[in-house]
Amino acid sequence: MAGLIEKYRDRLPFEEGDPVISLDEGATPLLYACELSERLGCEAWLKIEGANPTGSFKDRGMTCAVSGAVRDGSTAVVCASTGNTAASAAAYSARARITCAVIVPDGKIARGKLAQAVMHGARVIGLRGNFDQALKLVRELSDNHPIALVNSVNPLRIEGQKTAAFEIIEALGPDRPLDALAIPVGNAGNITAYWKGFTESAGELETMPKMLGFQAAGAAPLVLGHAVAEPETLASAIRIGDPARGDQALSAIEQSGGAINSVTDEQILEAYRFLASHDGVFCEPSSAASVAGLIVHGVPEGVERVVCVLTGHGLKDPETALEVGGGIIACEPELAAVEAAVWG
Ligand code: AN7
């Protein structure tokens, strides 16, 4: 048995015998973060979604969206993307042997994600515009043509992604329930999905976790209370100004007693470096927004155990890492030179 659909079929809208397109996604580690816990003054756990097959949480939603598309007889899928959705859609479409077109903001997505999309054989379209414009266009496209939309406006994406909440509850067990979930927010699909997962598991939980959403300061429509026409942040995955599921995200936050806040690019980078250099976990900058948010805004009162969702792997974006990480020491191939280089 492999993959989410097989494992959680009783809680997903798939029947026995329906086609299943899977790359064995899910079952990602929930790692205790010693250094971060110390810094926050509470127990901090990391949900390592970069351990999914294409390196991001999108695979949870994509196994369901692409399986559903195949079940419905679609031979092509399309998405708008800041990168990870494109990489995931491309991989699952290759697996399903169907056509995939991805529309990304030209020059604004991380190189690793672009490499994935082209390698999996998607038609990669570099839009001279941003994600919000791309999403509007693919919605129109799928309304007018027989092509399935696999963005998180597709309900099957939410169904698949809610399974991460099930895994967290399972991993912590009944004696160690989580008090809060910290998560980066872009198009607001993932926070919506986690809340659905927790809500469906309410019987196993004594109290519901507070949903703590974090946006990049230059792309923070839900914090500001209005769409942002020209979102800007180095956390390119969450460079989104008009989230499709914004209302649902806000209602999840309100129902859970949580909060939505923003963090600056500098704060995101500080958390990104801290996690990699102190807790040994390399995530992409957008993912570090969840950790930055807790560091900057503090852990709400009464929260003893928090789970930070690290949505994507650090290798997705080697350029940012090389820009902000430690430098490289050039060295001649001689022992004395190597000694000097190693010990400074
Ligand atoms: C690493 O790939 O929207 O709030 O098109 O890649 O559910 O949008 C990516 C989003 C967080 C935000 N972290 O999740 C896309 C895309 C990472 C991401 C988010 C994204 P949502």
Side-chain angles (χ1 to χ4, degrees):
M1 274 222 314
L4 287 181
I5 296 179
E6 301 293 352
K7 181 157 184 215
Y8 294 108
R9 192 185 289 275
D10 57 336
R11 292 186 261 179
L12 292 171
F14 290 92
E15 303 296 329
E16 243 8 283
D18 282 350
V20 171
I21 310 301
S22 172
L23 292 167
D24 201 3
E25 57 293 315
T28 57
L30 183 67
L31 190 71
Y32 183 67
C34 301
E35 296 291 319
L36 180 62
S37 296
E38 184 128 318
R39 187 161 177 193
L40 294 176
C42 76
E43 260 185 52
W45 296 75
L46 308 172
K47 183 65 173 159
I48 314 279
E49 288 293 276
N52 275 300
T54 77
S56 88
F57 71 97
K58 303 286 182 181
D59 295 345
R60 294 181 185 274
M62 210 53 75
T63 184
C64 291
V66 173
S67 296
V70 170
R71 178 179 62 191
D72 298 343
S74 295
T75 56
V77 301
V78 68
C79 66
S81 180
T82 56
N84 279 325
T85 300
S88 186
Y92 282 80
S93 299
R95 186 85 177 174
R97 308 185 66 83
I98 60 174
T99 301
C100 176
V102 303
I103 304 193
V104 300
D106 197 23
K108 291 287 192 177
I109 75 167
R111 300 289 279 177
K113 303 171 188 179
L114 199 56
Q116 290 177 289
V118 297
M119 276 304 289
H120 289 303
R123 289 181 77 88
V124 180
I125 299 152
L127 192 75
R128 294 193 192 97
N130 64 28
F131 171 84
D132 304 291
Q133 293 168 305
L135 183 60
K136 195 163 171 277
L137 288 163
V138 293
R139 290 177 100 149
E140 275 177 43
L141 198 75
S142 68
D143 283 345
N144 293 320
H145 299 277
I147 189 164
L149 184 59
V150 295
N151 279 104
S152 63
V153 293
N154 179 332
L156 288 175
R157 282 279 311 277
I158 304 301
E159 290 297 315
Q161 287 170 216
K162 77 183 180 186
T163 61
F166 301 160
E167 289 179 14
I168 291 172
I169 295 168
E170 272 166 46
L172 290 175
D175 300 332
R176 285 188 305 188
L178 75 162
D179 302 311
L181 185 92
I183 183 169
V185 176
N187 209 27
N190 211 28
I191 190 170
T192 300
Y194 271 89
W195 184 242
K196 186 164 201 283
F198 288 127
T199 307
E200 290 180 9
S201 310
E204 298 165 55
L205 297 168
E206 249 170 52
T207 53
M208 298 299 276
K210 293 182 194 306
M211 305 298 284
L212 307 175
F214 297 103
Q215 299 201 290
L222 300 181
V223 180
L224 296 170
H226 58 78
V228 174
E230 287 178 19
E232 230 14 288
T233 168
L234 70 75
S236 58
I238 52 172
R239 186 172 163 270
I240 295 174
D242 191 9
R245 291 192 183 266
D247 290 343
Q248 274 169 285
L250 291 174
S251 108
I253 288 161
E254 196 193 316
Q255 284 175 44
S256 71
I260 181 96
N261 278 300
S262 62
V263 280
T264 65
D265 283 1
E266 291 69 34
Q267 291 164 341
I268 289 173
L269 288 181
E270 200 273 326
Y272 171 65
R273 278 199 220 93
F274 181 87
L275 272 180
S277 60
H278 288 67
D279 274 311
V281 177
F282 184 27
C283 65
E284 63 173 285
S286 298
S287 307
S290 62
V291 172
L294 292 175
I295 293 171
V296 172
H297 296 282
V299 175
E301 228 175 272
V303 170
E304 287 173 16
R305 191 171 300 106
V306 63
V307 172
C308 299
V309 184
L310 299 187
T311 45
H313 201 290
L315 290 173
K316 291 272 190 176
D317 187 358
E319 284 169 325
T320 303
L322 289 167
E323 269 165 38
V324 308
I328 293 152
I329 302 157
C331 184
E332 293 305 317
E334 287 154 16
L335 184 60
V338 173
E339 284 170 341
V342 170
W343 281 281

